[in-house]
Amino acid sequence: MAYVYINPYKSTYLAAKQELELRKTELSFATQRITQLEEIITKLEPLAKEDGIAPKGGLSELCRQVLMSSPGVGMTAASVMQSLAYRGADMSGYSNPLAVLHITLTRLCKPESGFVKGKSPEGKPMYTYDPHRRGLPPPPPAWDDMDGMPDGILRKTKK
């Protein structure tokens, strides 16, 4: 049986060389990222120091603005709350902010208002603004023939 001599220093040497290349790559990336972050900070610093403009209006007006900003897009109460947070509205004063939003959004969904309440495919309530429904009366119930109408409606229409 033949014995093969393995230099114990060679494997350590190769591992150290490989790690050095890895660390140089990491250092290059870190240097580039530090430069990018410094640029971002210098550009955003003046804007971050401003207090901004406080949202005007009550919660219902803010919800109305959120829904009207993206007409035809269904939003859950959680997504409305997220949009309100992006606009600077503070909901931390409410013990259950989602319940407050659901009530407020449901109150917005009146006939002829343009705001509509529906359900998502998962069954969650969704709210949307449909500008085509604004100012229009709710659609009448569709009956195929006069015989299918309830008596009360027939009496009201015959008078």
Side-chain angles (χ1 to χ4, degrees):
M1 180 173 201
Y3 292 97
V4 177
Y5 174 73
I6 299 175
N7 185 348
Y9 302 106
K10 188 169 187 170
S11 62
T12 306
Y13 165 77
L14 292 174
K17 198 172 173 181
Q18 185 178 12
E19 185 179 352
L20 177 64
E21 290 301 317
L22 177 68
R23 300 296 177 219
K24 284 182 179 179
T25 305
E26 288 175 354
L27 180 63
S28 172
F29 173 76
T31 306
Q32 288 175 353
R33 185 64 182 148
I34 288 171
T35 306
Q36 290 173 347
L37 290 172
E38 286 173 342
E39 287 177 24
I40 290 170
I41 288 171
T42 56
K43 290 178 181 177
L44 291 178
E45 189 173 22
L47 299 173
K49 288 183 179 178
E50 294 177 8
D51 287 335
I53 301 169
K56 293 181 179 163
L59 185 58
S60 59
E61 180 59 32
L62 293 173
C63 289
R64 185 178 287 114
Q65 290 173 6
V66 167
L67 291 175
M68 290 177 85
S69 67
S70 16
V73 177
M75 299 178 82
T76 61
S79 59
V80 170
M81 186 165 75
Q82 188 177 20
S83 294
L84 290 173
Y86 288 146
R87 292 171 184 242
D90 183 20
M91 298 288 293
S92 63
Y94 296 104
S95 60
N96 190 348
L98 283 178
V100 172
L101 281 176
H102 275 292
I103 291 170
T104 304
L105 291 166
T106 301
R107 288 180 181 165
L108 283 178
C109 299
K110 294 179 182 174
E112 303 179 26
S113 69
F115 296 97
V116 183
K117 182 177 180 180
K119 294 243 183 223
S120 70
E122 297 86 31
K124 294 182 179 180
M126 292 190 75
Y127 308 91
T128 187
Y129 174 69
D130 185 0
H132 302 294
R133 289 183 133 186
R134 188 172 190 138
L136 297 175
W143 285 286
D144 292 338
D145 59 336
M146 296 295 285
D147 297 332
M149 287 186 157
D151 291 337
I153 294 176
L154 283 175
R155 273 185 253 128
K156 288 180 185 176
T157 56
K158 288 181 180 177
K159 288 182 181 180

